[in-house]
Amino acid sequence: MSRHYDFCRQNVGRPVKIVTHDGQTHRGIIRKVNPSKVFLDPIDGNRGPGGYGIGYYGGWGWGGFGLGIALGAIATIAFLPFFFW
Amino acid sequence: MTIHRTDQWLDTYLDKIKTSQKQPLVEHQKLICKPLTSFFRSIDEKTLQEHLIRHGLFLPHKNNSKYLSEWLEKDFYPFFKKLYQKLKRAWDGPEADIFLFPSNENSRELQEQFKGNAGLSYPSKLFLFLSPKATPKALTALFLHEYSHTCRLHYFEKAEEDYTLLDAIILEGTAEYLVRRLLGSSSGSQIIQTLSEKQAKALWDKWIKKYRDIKRLDAKHDLIMYGKHGLPNHLGYNIGYYLVSNYAAKQNYSSKKILYTPNEEFLSIIKG
């Protein structure tokens, strides 16, 4: 079991920054974890590719959570500040 | 006007996943998503793949060859070509790059709430994620919704990072209004509820007034639009529809005129 599994499980709902071994950075709110993957909701929703859809939040994909990040691919995880209201 | 031959990309994709040892995930990225990256400012196929899947694109797994073949047999092109030409003329709309794809058949919410159809629109391109079981009416409703976004986004030209919550609210309100006006309320989205004047005013004052100018990248934007974390469900969509439909009821405007009415005019409804 990846050492990141427990961390992710304990921090569902918190925004994090994950850097994977391939050098990619992923920012998001931990939505769901299973023994092999963590699924992040985008913090800035549609900033990247953008566009306007038909009204579904969170996105579809496997189990509704996009593609997920393999826990074994994670180099580092850190919390992000989340200023709400 | 181009409805791109995504059916050819799908044919190649199907071929690859049936015959080669390669992973569907990689082929999906390479054959379906990578060709689309040139239509964006600067994006890699992996990020775009994630984004499109979140918005309803079919999933890259080994077992949906039958589903994809079924989709290809439907041949949606003539239908959308005709619809696009008709609507472009009626709304004086822009040329758009249009991409048709199978939708995610595994998502229960997509099937139940949106009849298995979804889309994603930009000022000069749009993506339609279609169920092979879609009725002509459902397809029309989807196209009306998405192409109305493209028309309005194109008309009120703005840098994408400058789009505000109010822009989004009115964008969705006009789309919903036009679908219902042209096809009947049964073609409208299930997420829309009837609001009384009192309710709408209260919601506006509490959740929207202060934040109407926040940008898309503000975390509050989607939370308000979709009504998350204790906010009323699909708040932004409902306020948008309330404003546009009540405004339209007072005027005797054509669909086209409503489509291109500036945001501020709709606010006369809430301001009295």
Side-chain angles (χ1 to χ4, degrees):
Chain A
M1 187 81 73
S2 165
R3 61 192 168 93
H4 298 301
Y5 175 68
D6 283 334
F7 176 89
C8 290
R9 241 182 19 138
Q10 282 154 23
N11 291 292
V12 170
R14 289 194 71 169
V16 292
K17 173 179 149 181
I18 293 178
V19 180
T20 40
H21 289 302
D22 59 3
Q24 290 211 27
T25 302
H26 312 260
R27 281 182 181 82
I29 298 167
I30 298 179
R31 175 87 177 260
K32 181 184 141 121
V33 188
N34 66 33
S36 56
K37 282 187 167 194
V38 59
F39 298 86
L40 302 181
D41 269 347
I43 283 177
D44 48 15
N46 294 288
R47 175 184 0 207
Y52 287 89
I54 53 160
Y56 187 71
Y57 176 81
W60 292 295
W62 289 301
F65 308 118
L67 291 169
I69 301 164
L71 294 175
I74 295 176
T76 62
I77 309 183
F79 290 120
L80 284 175
F82 187 44
F83 300 107
F84 192 58
W85 302 105
Chain B
M1 171 295 259
T2 317
I3 301 189
H4 291 263
R5 297 314 309 252
T6 48
D7 54 339
Q8 290 167 2
W9 309 356
L10 282 159
D11 264 326
T12 311
Y13 171 78
L14 257 180
D15 222 37
K16 286 271 175 173
I17 62 171
K18 276 189 204 162
T19 60
S20 91
Q21 295 300 317
K22 293 225 176 112
Q23 294 214 28
L25 179 73
V26 174
E27 295 307 307
H28 186 278
Q29 234 173 68
K30 205 168 75 173
L31 299 168
I32 307 295
C33 302
K34 194 164 160 70
L36 298 172
T37 56
S38 57
F39 294 90
F40 289 82
R41 245 189 326 220
S42 71
I43 193 170
D44 62 282
E45 57 268 28
K46 203 164 158 183
T47 306
L48 187 55
Q49 181 186 43
E50 169 95 24
H51 189 69
L52 296 178
I53 283 178
R54 282 184 183 278
H55 284 275
L57 177 65
F58 75 95
L59 301 177
H61 59 64
K62 284 196 273 277
N63 303 323
N64 60 4
S65 305
K66 190 164 165 227
Y67 170 73
L68 296 179
S69 302
E70 186 193 340
W71 190 92
L72 282 165
E73 275 169 34
K74 288 289 169 180
D75 191 19
F76 290 104
Y77 290 83
F79 179 89
F80 282 105
K81 185 173 172 182
K82 203 167 156 188
L83 184 55
Y84 169 68
Q85 282 167 345
K86 189 172 168 184
L87 217 44
K88 184 178 186 300
R89 205 168 33 237
W91 289 348
D92 211 0
E95 294 279 321
D97 287 295
I98 299 175
F99 302 91
L100 310 177
F101 289 110
S103 64
N104 180 348
E105 77 279 18
N106 295 113
S107 166
R108 200 173 45 157
E109 294 92 339
L110 178 53
Q111 302 305 322
E112 287 176 2
Q113 285 187 43
F114 298 99
K115 302 189 178 95
N117 301 315
L120 189 61
S121 309
Y122 298 81
S124 55
K125 57 183 180 285
L126 61 105
F127 300 88
L128 300 176
F129 307 118
L130 311 168
S131 163
K133 298 188 176 61
T135 62
K137 203 165 188 192
L139 295 175
T140 307
L142 177 70
F143 192 78
L144 281 172
H145 185 113
E146 297 301 330
Y147 189 60
S148 78
H149 283 347
T150 295
C151 289
R152 196 172 168 89
L153 289 169
H154 189 267
Y155 185 79
F156 293 108
E157 200 183 328
K158 213 170 174 176
E160 209 169 328
E161 55 269 21
D162 291 336
Y163 293 157
T164 63
L165 178 64
L166 183 62
D167 287 328
I169 283 171
I170 300 298
L171 193 71
E172 296 300 345
T174 49
E176 187 65 28
Y177 168 75
L178 289 168
V179 169
R180 285 166 186 257
R181 174 170 170 163
L182 297 171
L183 297 178
S185 55
S186 63
S187 288
S189 174
Q190 292 178 29
I191 63 182
I192 300 297
Q193 296 160 28
T194 314
L195 293 174
S196 69
E197 188 178 340
K198 196 172 168 197
Q199 283 173 317
K201 186 83 177 52
L203 289 170
W204 171 267
D205 285 341
K206 187 171 183 187
W207 300 113
I208 317 273
K209 198 160 140 186
K210 232 190 334 177
Y211 303 110
R212 48 164 281 179
D213 294 321
I214 65 173
K215 300 292 187 328
R216 197 95 191 267
L217 49 81
D218 189 317
K220 295 189 283 297
H221 181 284
D222 279 2
L223 295 171
I224 294 172
M225 279 309 286
Y226 298 107
K228 307 305 290 181
H229 298 304
L231 272 63
N233 226 13
H234 286 100
L235 172 59
Y237 286 78
N238 275 286
I239 289 289
Y241 178 69
Y242 176 86
L243 290 172
V244 177
S245 59
N246 278 277
Y247 179 84
K250 290 197 164 157
Q251 319 292 341
N252 198 19
Y253 290 165
S254 65
S255 298
K256 183 178 162 182
K257 194 160 162 81
I258 292 288
L259 176 58
Y260 299 122
T261 295
N263 292 341
E264 291 300 326
E265 303 222 2
F266 294 111
L267 296 186
S268 63
I269 291 293
I270 215 88
K271 289 174 179 171

